[in-house]
Amino acid sequence: MSNALIISGHVRTFRSVAEELKHFVDLNQLDVYAYIWDEGNTEDIDYVVKTLNPKKFLYEKNELYAQDFFDAEERIAKKNPKELITPDRNHVTLSMHFARRKAFELIDQEYENIIFTRFDTFITPFKVRNLVAEYPDVVITPTNEQYGMVSDIFAVIPWKYADNYFFYHRAEEILSKRFSKKYKEWLTPRFFWENGQRDIRLHDEHRYCPHMLCMRNYFETDTPYTVIDLPVNIKR
């Protein structure tokens, strides 16, 4: 089984998770592809490259693209205006998905599965082969950082769904429109708690939630996913 790991974004607390991540990579014989936001932290970037020995990597300054993210945020607010109840920042969400897509585009061969993680995600090493055998043909996501929706800190993605998963090129379009009737119906059994319908309405009218964005992407691309208890968590 040939698998690859994609890691992207700001280096953050990588040094705190590096040893376990390296063990995870070696245990599963993963090719690594990394896209890193360059914050002038040359020593940290060098440490990432030395530790993970990526097959391909790229580092760039966020400032090269920041105006594009802010411009998209402004377009979204005009097309789909909301009175926000939390300080959702679409330029940050778009920056995150941009980095993930750039890392994915470094790949020039097909794999059976892509594992996605962040530089601040702590992983207790486990065999990907065993997990995929138990949950075949779906995107596997963790319960940690789920917030009643889907987590975006880690995933195991069958190759055939990888283009759907790394969806920066569709993110602005999704954020620019309200929930469709079919999407609300799809959400209903997933928001099964007493105030589920209220929460759906709040997300539709008053939030640009990054976790909800991921759910909308799964729905719109008809990408199957499952949520299970994986040994991963954010190391802040």
Side-chain angles (χ1 to χ4, degrees), residues 31 34 162 178 185 208 223 230:
D31 289 341
R178 290 293 176 90
E185 292 172 349
Y208 300 109
T223 300
L230 294 174

Side-chain angles (χ1 to χ4, degrees), residues 106-124:
L106 293 173
I107 297 176
D108 59 4
Q109 67 183 81
E110 185 172 326
Y111 290 91
E112 292 187 52
N113 298 282
I114 301 294
I115 294 89
F116 168 76
T117 193
R118 298 174 13 164
F119 287 106
D120 58 356
T121 299
F122 181 92
I123 304 172
T124 300

Side-chain angles (χ1 to χ4, degrees), residues 133-151:
E134 187 173 358
Y135 300 95
D137 299 320
V138 295
V139 175
I140 303 168
T141 66
T143 54
N144 209 317
E145 302 288 325
Q146 177 189 5
Y147 302 110
M149 291 168 280
V150 289
S151 176

